[in-house]
Amino acid sequence: MEEEFRALLRRVRAELVSPAEFSAYERLLELAVDGAPAPGLRAAERADRLADILVATEQPLWAREIAAFTLGVRGDRRAFETLVLLLNYREPVRCATAAHALGRLRDPRTARAAAALATNPLRTAYALHPVRLLTELRAPESVPALLSTLERLLAAPDHCWPVARACVEGLGVLGDGRATRALLAARAHERLRPAADEALARVRGG
């Protein structure tokens, strides 16, 4: 069991309050945890049960999150829509968990969805993990989306420094020469200058 999944389970367990929730959690673990007892169910059947949770009515958010994460890291594209919703969620910890699973899902729709979230000016406060995911994916959408987001933030009254810094760092990792002008502009901001200098060195070195 990878550390991200263990952290997800610890967080969810801390949210549970009623005996019914604990029972539902234990039943879900039988489907989600490799090697857990799930009498009479083959791996494909366990995956189908998890996918059912994503579309069933009145399922708690934590159950959908565990099911989507489990399917996502196993490459099951039925998790895509739920993971994208979680990537845009108001709680950063859920955004981070979704980004981790989406990075392993490798669905061709992921980069486009992450780019849409990162560049949405109404969702800037939730853009950190989409930006980091775009860097990880190294998709055709990555550099244009990071440039668009960074340029907008540099011109905005509220620069949203964590997101702007993630854009700068991501552009450095991607090493695309198209980023040079925006990175030079980022140097004008003291909070971004060290990251921009490092990113420029990587872009010019590449």
Side-chain angles (χ1 to χ4, degrees), residues 71-73 75-77 79-80 83 101-107 110:
L71 293 171
V73 298
D76 191 320
R77 291 181 179 176
F80 175 78
L83 290 173
L102 283 165
R104 281 138 191 83
L105 179 59
R106 297 300 178 181
D107 189 298
T110 299

Side-chain angles (χ1 to χ4, degrees), residues 16-87:
L16 306 179
V17 294
S18 70
E21 286 179 323
F22 280 102
S23 295
Y25 172 80
E26 294 297 332
R27 290 194 301 271
L28 180 52
L29 291 191
E30 291 182 354
L31 299 174
V33 176
D34 288 331
L41 293 181
R42 301 191 304 270
E45 293 172 322
R46 289 161 63 135
D48 288 343
R49 295 278 186 93
L50 291 169
D52 288 343
I53 291 171
L54 302 181
V55 297
T57 59
E58 299 183 359
Q59 287 291 333
L61 179 62
W62 59 261
R64 296 182 192 277
E65 185 179 12
I66 291 174
F69 183 94
T70 303
L71 293 171
V73 298
R74 294 175 182 173
D76 191 320
R77 291 181 179 176
R78 290 176 290 184
F80 175 78
E81 287 82 4
T82 301
L83 290 173
V84 169
L85 289 173
L86 290 167
L87 183 65

Side-chain angles (χ1 to χ4, degrees), residues 51-196:
D52 288 343
I53 291 171
L54 302 181
V55 297
T57 59
E58 299 183 359
Q59 287 291 333
L61 179 62
W62 59 261
R64 296 182 192 277
E65 185 179 12
I66 291 174
F69 183 94
T70 303
L71 293 171
V73 298
R74 294 175 182 173
D76 191 320
R77 291 181 179 176
R78 290 176 290 184
F80 175 78
E81 287 82 4
T82 301
L83 290 173
V84 169
L85 289 173
L86 290 167
L87 183 65
N88 193 36
Y89 203 69
R90 64 181 178 272
E91 295 179 51
V93 67
R94 287 198 157 99
C95 299
T97 299
H100 177 86
L102 283 165
R104 281 138 191 83
L105 179 59
R106 297 300 178 181
D107 189 298
R109 299 169 290 176
T110 299
R112 188 165 60 251
L117 295 176
T119 57
N120 185 344
L122 300 178
R123 305 296 291 173
T124 299
Y126 308 100
L128 179 61
H129 293 289
V131 164
R132 289 176 175 170
L133 179 58
L134 284 165
T135 303
E136 178 185 349
L137 293 174
R138 295 178 175 268
E141 296 89 347
S142 296
V143 169
L146 297 189
L147 278 175
S148 174
T149 303
L150 177 59
E151 289 167 352
R152 172 169 54 82
L153 292 177
L154 292 178
D158 179 4
H159 301 295
C160 197
W161 298 115
V163 176
R165 187 177 300 107
C167 289
V168 168
E169 293 168 349
L171 290 167
V173 169
L174 296 172
D176 193 302
R178 290 175 291 176
T180 300
R181 181 178 297 180
L183 292 174
L184 287 171
R187 290 196 74 258
H189 299 271
E190 184 177 353
R191 294 189 186 187
L192 299 178
R193 190 172 301 131

Side-chain angles (χ1 to χ4, degrees), residues 7-17 21-22 25:
L8 167 58
L9 296 183
R10 287 195 297 268
R11 171 166 56 80
V12 166
R13 189 172 180 83
E15 296 173 1
L16 306 179
V17 294
E21 286 179 323
F22 280 102
Y25 172 80

